[in-house]
Amino acid sequence: MAFPTHRPRRLRRSEAIRTLVRETRLTARSLVFPLFVCPGSKVKDEIKSMPGNYRWSVDLLVDECRAAYDLGIPAVILFGIPETKDEVGSGAYNPEGIVQRAVRALKQAVPGLLVICDLCLCEYTSHGHCGAVKNGEIDNDSTLDLLARTALAQARAGADMVAPSDMMDGRVGRIRAALDGQSFTQIPIMAYSAKYASGFYGPFREAADSTPQFGDRRSHQMDPANQREALREIALDIEEGADIIMVKPALPYLDIIALARRRFEVPIAAYQVSGEFSLIEAAARMGWIDRERIILESLTSIRRAGADIILTYFAKDAARLLGA
Ligand code: PBG
């Protein structure tokens, strides 16, 4: 037999054959579109460090969500930018808070769209921390009460799912109990379980004006150096009642996604965060990379690692490229 005996290139000769043997398929159906909602009306305020992303007032948010839904994107996740911030983040759990108002409007205008609420206090606290601050530290257990109140406010507004991103200990169990106690047993929890203390959140903090006024998030978010600890965090969240777990950021943490995929049966979400978005967008604007190709390649890689669901600021672009 002539050399070489093995010819893997046979299966790469045409687009048709590559399509047949493709192991990972990317569709708009596994994407979640993150959006920022702010007070006012007719507001479409571009976020400088995340070009093409905006702070939307509720009226325009509805149109943007309808457009995403029409492209085949099944879900959005909402982040609120409140009118005012205070020590205890009361805008997060006020029944008339910005996210609660947005959810009510969205569920009425686009009922088929799954509306997920990010559940954290950092966008609502004057100090920018994810919880109540006591003696210069984030107090875990009193924060749990505020998170539970926020989950209930979101559920009462009509949220389809809540997504705690605070990384306090015991929050999933506490939120589950609070929801169940008020007959919201049907509302799933998507837990940001392996959320790393990452420099990749920089642009988001500009968007949400949530940069901590002192200190950082390393006392609750995970050390980027740790892998086993992520599995422990995920296992605890599942035990406490998480329906979906999340790894965040995505591309720099594909090893965590792949390990979690092998270890756990629950659906896995991955968040391609603001910094991941902005790196690609900036290089594309410099003319240094092929934007569309890299959007699809990065999302495919996250799926290949094992994510079922991807939260991405490229959701609409990807849906358009994929033809839903
Ligand atoms: C916290 C939260 C953050 C992000 C999602 N939820 C910011 C943080 O932890 O500092 C970051 C998302 C992104 O960077 O795109 N509510």
Side-chain angles (χ1 to χ4, degrees):
M1 204 191 280
F3 185 82
T5 31
H6 300 286
R7 295 187 181 273
R9 289 185 58 195
R10 283 187 198 115
L11 300 184
R12 297 180 201 137
R13 280 190 67 219
S14 66
E15 183 50 28
I17 200 160
R18 289 192 294 270
T19 299
L20 274 183
V21 302
R22 189 157 293 139
E23 297 176 36
T24 305
R25 293 187 197 277
L26 183 65
T27 78
R29 305 282 168 203
S30 40
L31 303 181
V32 176
F33 189 25
L35 289 155
F36 300 91
V37 57
C38 67
S41 70
K42 302 272 171 267
V43 180
K44 179 183 179 183
D45 179 19
E46 190 166 42
I47 299 156
K48 276 200 208 68
S49 54
M50 300 173 71
N53 288 272
Y54 304 85
R55 299 182 194 88
W56 303 94
S57 54
V58 173
D59 51 339
L60 298 189
L61 178 83
V62 167
D63 299 336
E64 179 70 354
C65 288
R66 195 182 286 113
Y69 187 63
D70 289 344
L71 282 167
I73 298 161
V76 295
I77 182 163
L78 300 182
F79 297 93
I81 294 136
E83 219 130 46
T84 55
K85 307 191 183 214
D86 59 30
E87 284 283 304
V88 286
S90 57
Y93 39 88
N94 183 336
E96 289 307 315
I98 184 66
V99 161
Q100 282 69 261
R101 292 202 317 261
V103 172
R104 284 195 290 267
L106 273 177
K107 288 312 294 180
Q108 193 167 15
V110 198
L113 179 74
L114 191 85
V115 179
I116 307 170
C117 291
D118 179 84
L119 207 179
C120 190
L121 299 173
C122 65
E123 298 114 69
Y124 305 93
T125 50
S126 43
H127 42 69
H129 280 296
C130 305
V133 173
K134 269 192 198 161
N135 308 321
E137 286 199 43
I138 302 166
D139 184 61
N140 194 86
D141 297 9
S142 59
T143 298
L144 298 184
D145 295 331
L146 304 180
L147 294 170
R149 282 174 73 176
T150 306
L152 285 176
Q154 294 173 342
R156 288 188 185 115
D160 294 302
M161 193 186 296
V162 296
S165 64
D166 53 285
M167 288 295 277
M168 294 299 114
D169 293 333
R171 88 265 208 226
V172 172
R174 186 59 163 276
I175 291 165
R176 185 71 272 159
L179 289 172
D180 291 353
Q182 299 292 317
S183 303
F184 291 114
T185 51
Q186 78 286 5
I187 307 254
I189 298 175
M190 175 165 74
Y192 290 67
S193 303
K195 177 174 179 178
Y196 285 87
S198 173
F200 285 92
Y201 308 149
F204 174 97
R205 293 187 190 163
E206 185 212 307
D209 187 22
S210 62
T211 306
Q213 297 302 302
F214 59 90
D216 56 36
R217 305 218 202 288
R218 276 182 275 204
S219 76
H220 51 293
Q221 298 180 350
M222 284 185 51
D223 185 336
N226 293 357
Q227 190 179 69
R228 291 189 300 270
E229 190 188 1
L231 299 176
R232 177 154 192 266
E233 282 282 6
I234 294 168
L236 290 172
D237 281 358
I238 294 173
E239 203 180 291
E240 289 179 33
D243 300 280
I244 299 173
I245 63 93
M246 195 197 296
V247 175
K248 175 188 175 192
L251 216 49
Y253 296 86
L254 291 184
D255 58 320
I256 310 297
I257 299 172
L259 269 177
R261 174 72 294 155
R262 270 177 235 126
R263 186 88 51 109
F264 303 105
E265 281 84 43
V266 298
I268 296 177
Y271 199 145
Q272 183 179 50
V273 300
S274 57
E276 297 178 72
F277 167 86
S278 298
L279 289 183
I280 294 172
E281 197 61 39
R285 279 167 195 243
M286 294 298 284
W288 291 344
I289 57 166
D290 178 338
R291 179 177 186 273
E292 299 188 344
R293 191 168 167 185
I294 286 192
I295 290 174
L296 295 182
E297 184 176 337
S298 62
L299 295 174
T300 299
S301 299
I302 296 164
R303 291 270 296 145
R304 189 196 62 237
D308 304 287
I309 301 164
I310 306 175
L311 291 75
T312 175
Y313 300 98
F314 290 123
K316 278 174 68 199
D317 298 278
R320 263 187 228 105
L321 292 169
L322 294 164

